[in-house]
Amino acid sequence: MGHDAHFLRRLERLDHRSLDLALGLYRDRVAVKLVLATVELPPDCDRVALALTDDANPPHVVVARDGGFVTCLGRGMRTGRLPIVNRADVDAAFEDSARIGRADARITMRGGVFELLKRVLTAGHRLAREDFEASALLAPLVRPVLVEALRDTIDFVFETQHSMSLRRLRGTDRLTTWTLRQYSIAVDTARHLILLSIPFAKVHLAEGMDAVGVVTLGDFGTLTGELGGVAAAACFAAQLGPGVLPGYVELWHEADSMPALVGPLTGLIALASAHPGALDDVLSVLRDRRAPAFDGLDAHLTAGFADITIEMLTTPGELDDSIEVLRSGMAQAIATQGGLKPDAVPVQWVDGLLAATHIHWMGNAAGISQVPAVAAWAARLDPTDLYLPAAKLAEFLTWPGIETTRRCLSDIVRWLGRHIPVVRDGPKVGRNEPCPCGSGRKYKRCCIG
């Protein structure tokens, strides 16, 4: 309360135009939190200065790390070593706050923030577009929750694959119905969280974080083995832009198996599809036959993948034709189920089914051949386009059967197991112990998968 009183007394330092904005910030604590969510404060810094104009030597409002108001600095007053948020970012926070305010009634009607986030984590592929849009608005305010949820979800997916690998070695691949259902939900949850993390990834990239570290997050989507994960990974890459190209190039050259190659390939296709200026660089990578040398089937698939992708990206009209073939197939499926003519199916329904349909590509010839076109298609979409409206979910989506999930998981484990045999060499390593690979991370957050 002392800080607030001091801040209000120091409003006299501001002119009328700056005074209105300062009071607007004081009344809109959501906007302040949104601003702070975009700033990575050093550990020893607990305050930040918000610029009230966009000219030289602007007046500032100083707020604390927890959102409390500290003081006002008039035009020309020094901010010292405080981090500064420019006026454009302050205005953007006001706009986001207004959108959250407009969404508040809808969120309340749908059960409030807790119920909304609960659906993000448990609804699986039946998450409605309205829920995703509202969650995207709230994401900056609950970033720690989403980051931890993504880590736990990735842990569960990899541990389930690991468990299936052990059962295959024992001559069975039977997992409980509950585990299979939770695995199916976790695969979709990871997709939701990857798309919700795009703003955070942009911040990390702008702050100079290594591109490989940024793209690895989206790359996980492809390791789920489903085309929906490919769509999410492609949308992630396209939203981040050409700045992440070096990260995908490095992953391409480091890939030691065909499954590991699909992630960087998806990113490269997405960048070429959504950002024409990156096309030449992407083609240079794909034509470089130094890129990973695999044996047997993987070598054949890699060369074929690269050739198909190069042809799709360089032949006039081929990229659009490939996307249109996929669209037409989706539209036909929707029309058949809904009793409509294919040309009467709204585009947004087709886009919404792209990521939500459980079609796996690992061990599936039809699925793997669609990876390049799926990546190119999804790269041109906004993340919200990958979700169906709530009114259409029940009409077009059903839960995948347990046996379908079991076959998908079995195919994934078989592909991964050819390159990552589950053989223990030495004493058992606990989940919370340092990983034997020397990365410095816990075993459960590293090589356990």
Side-chain angles (χ1 to χ4, degrees):
M1 186 62 185
H3 275 167
D4 280 10
H6 180 79
F7 165 79
L8 293 172
R9 287 197 300 270
R10 293 295 182 264
L11 287 172
E12 64 185 16
R13 295 173 171 173
L14 307 178
D15 57 32
H16 291 297
R17 185 177 59 156
S18 301
L19 177 62
D20 289 341
L21 180 57
L23 288 175
L25 284 168
Y26 185 72
R27 291 190 293 265
D28 192 346
R29 300 302 175 100
V30 172
V32 174
K33 289 185 178 180
L34 289 170
V35 170
L36 292 174
T38 67
V39 181
E40 294 291 340
L41 293 179
D44 60 344
C45 180
D46 59 359
R47 297 179 181 181
V48 61
L50 312 182
L52 299 178
T53 64
D54 54 7
D55 51 17
N57 300 318
H60 295 85
V61 165
V62 178
V63 297
R65 182 189 292 268
D66 62 2
F69 283 72
V70 179
T71 189
C72 295
L73 300 177
R75 186 177 298 278
M77 295 182 67
R78 297 182 181 277
T79 57
R81 300 177 63 184
L82 294 180
I84 297 176
V85 177
N86 62 42
R87 172 62 188 271
D89 289 336
V90 173
D91 289 340
F94 269 119
E95 293 175 4
D96 288 342
S97 177
R99 283 196 292 269
I100 291 176
R102 289 193 296 269
D104 185 62
R106 184 173 71 228
I107 293 172
T108 301
M109 290 177 60
R110 300 177 75 84
V113 173
F114 175 80
E115 289 298 324
L116 178 63
L117 295 179
K118 180 180 177 182
R119 284 197 292 278
V120 170
L121 301 178
T122 62
H125 73 309
R126 297 178 66 84
L127 184 70
R129 176 179 296 179
E130 294 88 340
D131 286 340
F132 180 82
E133 289 175 335
S135 300
L137 290 173
L138 293 171
L141 302 179
V142 292
R143 176 169 57 173
V145 175
L146 296 181
V147 170
E148 186 63 27
L150 180 56
R151 289 172 178 164
D152 290 343
T153 302
I154 291 174
D155 280 351
F156 179 78
V157 170
F158 282 157
E159 286 172 7
T160 304
Q161 293 175 354
H162 179 71
S163 180
M164 177 72 91
S165 296
L166 292 176
R167 282 167 169 76
R168 282 176 56 83
L169 290 177
R170 296 167 183 157
T172 178
D173 61 359
R174 307 300 293 180
L175 292 174
T176 66
T177 298
W178 182 89
T179 299
L180 291 170
R181 175 57 59 84
Q182 294 305 308
Y183 175 83
S184 178
I185 292 174
V187 166
D188 286 306
T189 300
R191 172 168 56 86
H192 308 325
L193 295 173
I194 287 170
L195 293 173
L196 288 172
S197 69
I198 289 173
F200 314 150
K202 288 181 178 178
V203 171
H204 291 317
L205 194 64
E207 293 176 345
M209 181 176 178
D210 180 44
V212 172
V214 175
V215 303
T216 299
L217 176 61
D219 184 61
F220 169 75
T222 63
L223 294 180
T224 62
E226 296 190 356
L227 290 179
V230 171
C235 187
F236 179 91
Q239 292 290 313
L240 293 185
V244 294
L245 179 61
Y248 287 112
V249 172
E250 185 170 338
L251 290 181
W252 167 269
H253 288 296
E254 289 181 351
D256 58 1
S257 68
M258 183 62 197
L261 189 72
V262 171
L265 180 67
T266 295
L268 292 171
I269 294 172
L271 292 175
S273 178
H275 304 279
L279 177 60
D280 288 342
D281 290 332
V282 170
L283 291 174
S284 176
V285 174
L286 296 176
R287 287 168 174 156
D288 183 358
R289 294 307 179 182
R290 293 185 300 103
F294 303 143
D295 296 325
L297 177 62
D298 276 3
H300 174 73
L301 287 174
T302 300
F305 244 155
D307 290 339
I308 290 172
T309 302
I310 291 171
E311 181 179 358
M312 183 182 73
L313 294 176
T314 56
T315 303
E318 184 68 23
L319 182 59
D320 291 336
D321 288 346
S322 299
I323 294 174
E324 187 56 35
V325 168
L326 269 182
R327 282 184 181 275
S328 298
M330 287 284 189
Q332 183 64 55
I334 295 174
T336 300
Q337 187 165 345
L340 303 172
K341 294 181 179 180
D343 57 3
V345 177
V347 172
Q348 64 266 30
W349 296 1
V350 182
D351 292 340
L353 277 177
L354 172 61
T357 304
H358 284 257
I359 300 175
H360 66 286
W361 61 265
M362 284 192 186
N364 178 355
I368 199 169
S369 67
Q370 293 178 346
V371 167
V374 167
W377 178 5
R380 299 180 176 184
L381 301 177
D382 185 81
T384 57
D385 294 334
L386 295 173
Y387 294 85
L388 281 173
K392 295 299 173 184
L393 282 174
E395 187 173 348
F396 294 117
L397 288 179
T398 57
W399 284 106
I402 293 301
E403 288 307 315
T404 299
T405 302
R406 192 190 307 278
R407 286 195 301 272
C408 176
L409 182 55
S410 182
D411 287 342
I412 292 171
V413 168
R414 186 175 66 252
W415 270 58
L416 295 177
R418 290 165 50 218
H419 306 281
I420 313 175
V422 184
V423 179
R424 182 183 301 155
D425 183 14
K428 179 179 179 180
V429 180
R431 294 176 73 253
N432 291 309
E433 294 178 8
C435 186
C437 75
S439 66
R441 294 186 294 174
K442 292 182 180 180
Y443 183 45
K444 70 178 182 180
R445 304 241 187 254
C446 194
C447 294
I448 195 171

